[in-house]
């Protein structure tokens, strides 16, 4: 007949230390070293001497790393003739991790909470993206087997809509592994402050989901460069910039390139009803610096409203033919230079360039 064993505690993860005791075994008998089994796997302990009344003193053993999950039998057989067997039960549990938030961008901090681990054990958390480990963090479980730590999503996660996963495991000697948890990394996107705008108005652009600390290398509307100054994403891969709408009308493509990734959106541009007189300046004055260096060859502007071209040429021979006598802030023009020169805060190369006037 099998005797009952008392097991304390009755549940926990692999690596849990349990006390096993029992009664009515062979008087003055013994249990061989490593003779107490959990899920038929031997535990590590010295020879245990039974009492004169056949009692098994409380013996501490560790739940083996190879024990299965769920309710498992704890068993032993003593040295008597015939040998007497005992059994009890221990439920092997699986530790867990949870994530917050469930969606994050590179550079954002994710909180990882663990529960049900072996008290005071070290747990290694691994961040996986596209099948590769791209980050690790080691946490120590408290006296109740819980922990809370954080991990910043590195740029090695990669740009674009994807699902990444966090896995956690304690030392190989304990054998615990949590079910991996997933987190969504959204695709980069740009949002404009307005779906439509007039020529010369200011539009704000918010970019998110790009590589952290990366420069804005291109910002164009209808192909015209409207960048001003140097803009860089923050530690979470976001930035906000504003630009003046150039003299284009209709639906225009707004294209943004940050850290080698290009994302586009659109805006509908309409002309202002009556441009302020201060917005129109003689073309020769606008390009005075280029003309002074004998560097300006020709300027072209296309008027969407009339579907016609106008040009300016600083050479006296073209004085009578010039029809681009004035230009305004926000006008998009084609300019041809002899050599590279800085103009309105940007350096333009020799040949033709398209840009928006300030």
């Amino acid at each position: 007949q099998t005797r009952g064993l008392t097991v304390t505690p009755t549940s926990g993860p692999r690596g849990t230390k349990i006390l096993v005791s029992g009664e009515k075994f062979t008087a003055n008998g013994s249990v061989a070293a490593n003779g107490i089994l959990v899920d038929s796997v031997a535990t590590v302990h010295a020879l245990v001497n039974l009492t004169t009344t056949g009692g098994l003193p409380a013996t501490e053993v560790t739940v083996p790393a190879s024990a299965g999950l769920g309710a498992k039998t704890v068993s032993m057989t003593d040295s008597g003739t015939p040998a007497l067997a005992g059994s009890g039960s221990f439920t092997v549990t699986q530790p867990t991790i949870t994530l917050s938030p469930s969606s994050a961008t590179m550079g954002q901090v994710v909180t990882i909470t663990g529960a049900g681990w072996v008290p005071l054990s070290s747990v290694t958390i691994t961040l996986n993206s596209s099948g590769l480990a791209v980050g690790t963090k080691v946490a120590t479980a408290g006296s109740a087997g819980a922990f809370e730590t954080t991990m910043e999503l590195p740029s090695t996660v990669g740009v674009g809509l994807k699902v990444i996963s966090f896995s956690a495991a304690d030392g190989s000697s304990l054998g615990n592994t949590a079910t991996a948890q997933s987190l969504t990394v959204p695709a980069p996107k740009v949002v404009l402050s307005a779906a439509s705008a007039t020529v010369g108005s200011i539009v704000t652009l918010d970019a998110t989901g790009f590589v952290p600390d990366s420069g804005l290398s291109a910002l164009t509307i209808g192909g015209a460069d409207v960048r001003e100054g140097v803009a860089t994403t923050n530690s979470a891969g976001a930035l906000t910039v504003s630009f003046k709408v150039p003299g284009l009308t209709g639906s225009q493509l707004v294209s943004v390139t940050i850290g080698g990734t290009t994302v586009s959106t659109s805006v509908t541009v309409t002309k202002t009803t009556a441009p302020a007189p201060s917005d129109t300046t003689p073309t020769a004055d606008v390009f005075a610096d280029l003309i002074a260096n004998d560097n300006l060859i020709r300027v072209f502007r296309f008027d969407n409203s009339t579907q016609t071209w106008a040009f300016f040429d600083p050479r006296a021979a073209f004085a009578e033919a010039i029809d681009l006598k004035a230009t305004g802030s926000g006008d998009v023009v084609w300019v041809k230079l002899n050599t590279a020169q800085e103009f309105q805060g940007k350096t333009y190369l020799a040949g033709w360039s398209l840009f928006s006037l300030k």
Side-chain angles (χ1 to χ4, degrees):
Q1 181 180 355
T2 300
R3 275 68 172 160
L5 294 176
T6 300
V7 180
T8 307
T10 58
S11 66
R14 300 178 181 108
T16 298
K17 295 185 182 301
I18 58 176
L19 292 176
V20 182
S21 60
E23 300 292 340
K24 300 181 180 180
F25 293 98
T26 301
N28 296 315
S30 64
V31 177
N34 307 335
I36 298 176
L37 311 180
V38 177
D39 193 22
S40 301
V41 180
T43 62
V44 178
H45 63 86
L47 180 142
V48 181
N49 290 312
L50 303 177
T51 66
T52 56
T53 59
L56 170 67
T59 302
E60 184 181 80
V61 298
T62 301
V63 176
S66 57
L69 296 175
K72 301 300 175 182
T73 299
V74 179
S75 60
M76 55 142 282
T77 302
D78 70 13
S79 60
T81 304
L84 300 178
S87 70
S89 180
F90 180 84
T91 300
V92 182
T93 58
Q94 183 177 25
T96 63
I97 57 171
T98 56
L99 307 176
S100 179
S102 60
S103 176
T105 59
M106 287 176 291
Q108 191 170 342
V109 174
V110 176
T111 298
I112 305 140
T113 304
W117 298 85
V118 176
L120 308 182
S121 64
S122 293
V123 180
T124 300
I125 301 146
T126 304
L127 168 59
N128 304 282
S129 177
S130 301
L132 299 175
V134 295
T136 59
K137 186 71 176 284
V138 177
T140 300
S143 58
F147 67 81
E148 182 176 297
T149 188
T150 59
M151 186 185 297
E152 180 180 299
L153 297 191
S155 58
T156 47
V157 164
V159 178
L161 176 63
K162 59 182 63 187
V163 176
I164 60 176
S165 65
F166 288 81
S167 58
D170 55 26
S172 58
S173 60
L174 299 180
N176 292 301
T177 301
T179 299
Q181 300 296 308
S182 298
L183 179 147
T184 301
V185 178
K189 69 176 181 178
V190 292
V191 177
L192 301 179
S193 59
S196 62
T198 57
V199 174
S201 64
I202 302 299
V203 174
T204 299
L205 179 146
D206 290 309
T208 57
F210 291 84
V211 177
D213 304 314
S214 296
L216 172 67
S217 57
L219 170 55
T220 62
I221 175 171
D225 186 356
V226 291
R227 284 178 301 163
E228 292 189 9
V230 178
T232 303
T233 57
N234 61 19
S235 60
L239 64 76
T240 299
V241 294
S242 296
F243 62 89
K244 179 178 286 189
V245 178
L248 302 169
T249 57
S251 180
Q252 301 295 333
L253 185 70
V254 179
S255 182
V256 177
T257 301
I258 301 173
T261 298
T262 300
V263 176
S264 299
T265 186
S266 64
V267 64
T268 300
V269 181
T270 59
K271 278 194 173 292
T272 54
T273 55
S278 59
D279 288 340
T280 303
T281 306
T283 304
D285 292 345
V286 173
F287 295 95
D289 290 345
L290 300 178
I291 295 171
N293 291 335
D294 196 23
N295 197 18
L296 180 64
I297 299 175
R298 182 162 289 189
V299 179
F300 277 105
R301 184 186 67 189
F302 183 73
D303 190 329
N304 276 312
S305 62
T306 62
Q307 296 293 294
T308 59
W309 287 92
F311 86 99
F312 172 82
D313 193 305
R315 291 168 290 184
F318 294 92
E320 296 298 326
I322 290 172
D323 52 7
L324 183 58
K325 300 184 182 298
T327 51
S329 175
D331 280 349
V332 176
V333 293
W334 284 96
V335 177
K336 187 175 184 181
L337 303 180
N338 283 309
T339 61
Q341 181 177 337
E342 182 177 338
F343 178 65
Q344 292 192 345
K346 300 178 184 177
T347 298
Y348 294 92
L349 301 178
W352 289 103
S353 294
L354 176 68
F355 56 89
S356 177
L357 295 176
K358 293 184 180 179

